[in-house]
Amino acid sequence: MACRITELVIDCADPRLLADFWCEVLGYVEIDEEDGYVEIGPPGSVPGGPQPTLVFSPGAEPKREKLRLHLDVNPTDRDQDAELQRLLAAGARKIDIGQTGTESWHVLADPEGNEFCLLRRRVEAAP
């Protein structure tokens, strides 16, 4: 028997802010909130269900350096340029982590500075 990833926990100063941002980015909904923690996932998902969820955990320690783990996202219903504009309008910002400028992806940060990449390939939305 093997393990299964059930959630990705992100420490942050403002769990509500990041939960709202990532719900907008991913089309997720809030599925649980308790003691300052906010858990989000695809519509219809439940904590510990078959699809991993994101849990935003309150923490006072500020982000200090580039993350060793980051999320990659792909557009589902528009091209990369249009999706970039949507993410920037939602509160993402472009960041420079040493890119050459020839990459096929954009490096962005969420409202608390956590890096993520917007890839070019368009994928189907999750059911």
Side-chain angles (χ1 to χ4, degrees):
M1 182 159 261
C3 291
R4 178 171 63 83
I5 295 173
T6 55
E7 63 250 347
L8 175 63
V9 179
I10 301 169
D11 293 338
C12 55
D14 190 340
R16 169 57 49 209
L17 174 70
L18 285 192
D20 290 347
F21 172 80
W22 284 103
C23 279
E24 175 70 21
V25 169
L26 300 171
Y28 279 16
V29 297
E30 181 180 318
I31 58 174
D32 194 22
E33 181 175 8
E34 187 176 330
D35 298 328
Y37 293 80
V38 182
E39 186 169 2
I40 67 170
S45 61
V46 296
Q51 293 184 315
T53 59
L54 298 177
V55 176
F56 298 96
S57 170
E61 185 70 25
K63 179 182 174 299
R64 298 187 191 280
E65 57 190 47
K66 182 180 176 292
L67 298 176
R68 295 183 72 180
L69 173 73
H70 70 268
L71 300 177
D72 285 345
V73 299
N74 293 71
T76 60
D77 61 352
R78 64 198 79 202
D79 67 20
Q80 184 187 43
D81 291 336
E83 184 64 1
L84 175 62
Q85 294 311 308
R86 186 183 80 84
L87 297 177
L88 293 172
R93 59 185 167 81
K94 292 183 178 184
I95 60 169
D96 182 358
I97 59 167
Q99 304 94 294
T100 65
T102 61
E103 293 82 6
S104 63
W105 61 88
H106 295 280
V107 181
L108 305 169
D110 70 15
E112 287 200 8
N114 300 302
E115 300 91 6
F116 69 100
C117 293
L118 171 62
L119 306 183
R120 178 177 295 173
R121 184 171 44 103
R122 191 168 158 182
V123 298
E124 289 188 33

